[in-house]
Amino acid sequence: MATLSPTQSPKTRRKPSTRRRAHSHLPPHPIQDSHDAAVASIRSFLKSHTSYDAFPVSFRLIVLDTKLNVKKALQCVVSAPLWNSERSKFAGMLTVLDIIHLIQYYYRTASYDYAAADVETFRLESLRDIENELGVAQPPLHREHPSSSLYDAAKLLIQTHARRLPLLDNDTETGHEVIVSVLTQYRLLKFISINCNKEIQQLHLSLRKLKIGTYVALPPQDVPEGKNPYHPIATATLNTPVFDVVHMFSERSISAVPIINEEGIVVNLYETVDVITLVRLGAYQSLDLKISEALNQRSPDFPGVVICTASDSLGTLLQLIKRRRVHRLVVVEGEARKKGRLLGIITLSDVLRYVIGRVGIGEGLEPEEEIKKSSSGGPIAGPSASTSTTKP
């Protein structure tokens, strides 16, 4: 497992000095003040830059026609904008959660043979019917213009609980919608980590103190007998059937579940993309497997579980996002006798919600705050990309 805390280099031990040092008359370092000022500066930075600024220099955009069948779509991507070619109109986003809902529907209502045959012809446009059958909320058709501020785009991501925000423009000749790109939570936070380095250096307060993430409600000794000791966090063990975890994904609209042992030590993480791997392989019957067995079919490029402690700082987290692709962190106990025990989970949504500020669901954008202009100077850098398609 990867840890958030940076590796400390060995330090030379020094002999204790016998000299007395004079007491300092300077006030203690105002950590809270510098932290608040840094957050305000980051928000000001986002208000002064557009979504277009966060585009990589080059990137690839895949758009799926709603007439395409699900199985073919999953051979390309697990998430992409949808396009209604009959109406020449944007039709929402295909997300991993859509596929989770489909799996749950098949598992509840059909035999394996029927599901395996039906998925060959099942079209993307029918996914919304499945959501109606299951009684789950349909994703909103949210979108933003590429020239909208990153601050407004981030607030819309928070308001709609979305991980991706389609960016649309209109063709000047035909007036039809044009899908320009998709802004993800990760890309937005990485853009901050690249361009607000000075501010990030001031974010010393701990993740727990800032209330970033979801944490176990009660310490072990205070949990009533028979109650879930990890409430409100969804957990599983290596013996849990895969479909039980799929149900957690669908019911809670989450994308990962920590796998723990009898002592509550985090041993792995099962994600929605692991289920998609089974679907791609056509291994629908594998939903009856235990998690321990399903993990053997996991993609070899799985990046591992990133863990941290509640005392790690927001600044350290953002520096990690700058270095590697991270979608969530599992918070574990750092004390020696409890080391590795599940304490909480932090998603990019949690981080973005803190950085932007409180936003009510469906709430209009808050009035502009009187914040000093960002002290970040120099050219604006965008996240790197491995593709060679020219930026539109």
Side-chain angles (χ1 to χ4, degrees), residues 24 243 339 342 387:
S24 172
F243 184 72
K339 194 168 185 179
L342 177 65
T387 54

Side-chain angles (χ1 to χ4, degrees), residues 19 47 50-51 131 141 144 150 153 203 242 267 360:
R19 292 181 299 173
K47 290 176 181 179
T50 68
S51 299
E131 289 160 350
L141 290 176
E144 268 291 0
L150 280 170
L203 301 178
V242 170
V267 297

Side-chain angles (χ1 to χ4, degrees), residues 43-180:
R43 291 176 184 170
S44 181
F45 170 82
L46 294 176
K47 290 176 181 179
S48 63
H49 291 87
T50 68
S51 299
Y52 190 84
D53 292 330
F55 286 10
V57 174
S58 64
F59 63 94
R60 176 181 61 180
L61 176 66
I62 296 176
V63 178
L64 303 176
D65 193 294
T66 54
K67 296 295 182 183
L68 188 68
N69 72 55
V70 169
K71 190 169 183 180
K72 287 184 177 178
L74 290 181
Q75 300 306 317
C76 304
V77 291
V78 295
S79 179
L82 298 176
W83 184 258
N84 186 324
S85 55
E86 292 179 346
R87 302 172 61 189
S88 295
K89 193 172 183 179
F90 170 67
M93 290 285 296
L94 170 69
T95 68
V96 175
L97 196 56
D98 291 325
I99 309 305
I100 295 297
H101 291 327
L102 180 61
I103 293 170
Q104 187 176 31
Y105 172 77
Y106 278 142
Y107 201 81
R108 285 182 175 180
T109 63
S111 66
Y112 163 70
D113 291 335
Y114 174 84
D118 190 61
V119 78
E120 296 290 338
T121 57
F122 190 92
R123 292 180 175 180
L124 294 173
E125 62 185 355
S126 300
L127 285 171
R128 302 302 168 241
D129 297 332
I130 297 299
E131 289 160 350
N132 289 332
E133 288 281 344
L134 293 175
V136 297
Q138 295 189 5
L141 290 176
H142 59 279
R143 85 263 323 261
E144 268 291 0
H145 193 276
S147 63
S148 65
S149 76
L150 280 170
Y151 187 78
D152 288 349
K155 294 189 83 169
L156 186 55
L157 281 169
I158 296 170
Q159 289 169 340
T160 57
H161 296 288
R163 298 180 180 90
R164 296 169 177 81
L165 179 62
L167 301 174
L168 273 66
D169 202 348
N170 288 94
D171 190 293
T172 54
E173 294 183 2
T174 65
H176 290 166
E177 293 176 327
V178 178
I179 303 173
V180 179

